[in-house]
Amino acid sequence: MTAGRGLLLLLACTAAVPSASAATADPRRSELETLEGTVLALEEVAGESDLPVLVAHLDRGDGREPARVLLAPRAVLEEIELEVEVGDRIKVRVFADEGTPFRVHRLRNETRGTMAKLRTLSRVPLWSSTGAWQGGGPHGPRGLGPHGQPPVERGRPPGGGAGPGGPPGR
Amino acid sequence: MNLHPSSRDRARVFALVAACGLGGAAPALAGGPELTLIAGASAASLDAAPDSELSWGAARLAWGDRLQLRAEIAWLDAEGEGSLAPPGLGPVAPVRRGKGPGGNGSGPGSEAAGSTLGASTGEATEPASPAAEVRGWGDLRLGAAYRLAGGGARLYRIDLGAAVKLPTADEQERLGTGELDARIGLSGEYRFWSLTLFGGAGFNHFGEPAGAAFDDVLDAYLGVESQPIADRILLSGWLEGHPEVVEGGGAYSALGVGLRTLGSVRFELQGRTGLGDTEGDWSLSFGVSFGLRPPGAGPSGVRR
């Protein structure tokens, strides 16, 4: 089998993975909007499961009224070391079709060098009704991925060889 | 009667001790054990010689996050000439037949990979048929990785990893070299808003069967991965390579592409195609991972 045929097979397999192609056309993504700015103030409101959830007032620097974005319970943010404080510069992806405060899908704190997903695309929070974080790592548990774990165990043909996966070889 | 333990016997004892150690350490590691089942196939064109093809099924058990321990064993089905199970682990490519002196199979690469492997046991061995198909258990691989910095919500991560390949496979059947290989390396990543840059480098030491000469080499890889698409699918691409392991065998370099999913049951698909000296080589693998002791699924089924 040639490398070309191998890649064709890979592409065929890729297409077979459930919803891989559909994912890019996910209608839920059309409601997402990216906001960036400085946190002017923080407050707590009753959020999902009636837990107090942090709301950040975001100054986007364009003279518009600050955007209110619904983050997560303060304890959850502390647990995953994703703290947000007044003065921090953050970037958020929000569900923009809702009224304010916009629920945040993903949060990046540029000031503190942290980032995590807070809700699924179905807008389900990644913490339990008791406030326990259930979202795993930034990309879920370390898996097989090309960088999910040290290269030594990455997909390499177990008989030998290599890769950040394995060798194209034997 | 030969009362001297062979390298395989010693490796099996070592593996048993290591397994006990892993079992003892498991309760101290965060998170439950995770099982990964992998299936794959690869082929390498060996200059004028026919392709060597290898397919395998493997099971990998891993514990922990900040400190992660892993053990892996595979069942191999291989066909071709020379060594079907080349030395090394991690980003180390197979030993290729020499392209220099004695290029078409008589170079140092073929000597190392061919009939001399059995000599490492000190037993008189008959070389396997050069193009025979063989099946059997491969070498046991043990590894550990420790997160030096970052991880979690941080934008970066740096891991120190070490691994050994224990010569538990039957080298007379060319399912292993009969020698212990080891690798130590660093891996890291940096997450941007839309993609993640990842890379790593390591040092590889190869045990040398009698009559073989393997160069210890550094390896490196660098690539990018997308942010999760639809909360679930990540696509990646990378380059990997290292200098030649056997004189005249040529350097190894390859382009890899991958797809993996998130969730309580995770899938991964990877493909590689050789570049330069390894042009024409390819490999494909498919893996599925799941926790053996799920700590509870979140609202989206994402494991903690």
Side-chain angles (χ1 to χ4, degrees), chain A residues 104-123:
Chain A
V104 170
H105 171 248
R106 181 154 50 109
L107 163 66
R108 180 184 178 101
N109 190 326
E110 305 279 5
T111 302
R112 298 170 191 272
T114 51
M115 180 166 72
K117 185 175 75 174
L118 299 179
R119 293 173 181 81
T120 69
L121 283 176
S122 302
R123 311 184 189 204

Side-chain angles (χ1 to χ4, degrees), chain B residues 196-295:
Chain B
T196 298
L197 178 70
F198 64 89
F203 175 77
N204 300 266
H205 167 72
F206 306 111
E208 295 179 341
F214 299 146
D215 287 339
D216 295 341
V217 296
L218 294 170
D219 62 67
Y221 62 94
L222 184 68
V224 292
E225 185 175 61
S226 72
Q227 280 290 319
I229 299 168
D231 274 351
R232 187 167 166 78
I233 299 167
L234 299 96
L235 303 174
S236 59
W238 65 91
L239 290 170
E240 62 190 42
H242 63 74
E244 66 182 18
V245 174
V246 174
E247 185 180 354
Y252 163 80
S253 58
L255 169 69
V257 292
L259 178 155
R260 66 183 177 112
T261 67
L262 302 177
S264 54
V265 177
R266 296 177 300 287
F267 299 93
E268 169 143 336
L269 189 62
Q270 289 191 356
R272 282 168 200 77
T273 183
L275 305 172
D277 288 341
T278 48
E279 187 175 357
D281 295 358
W282 60 269
S283 76
L284 286 173
S285 66
F286 177 76
V288 56
S289 302
F290 47 87
L292 294 180
R293 192 175 44 144

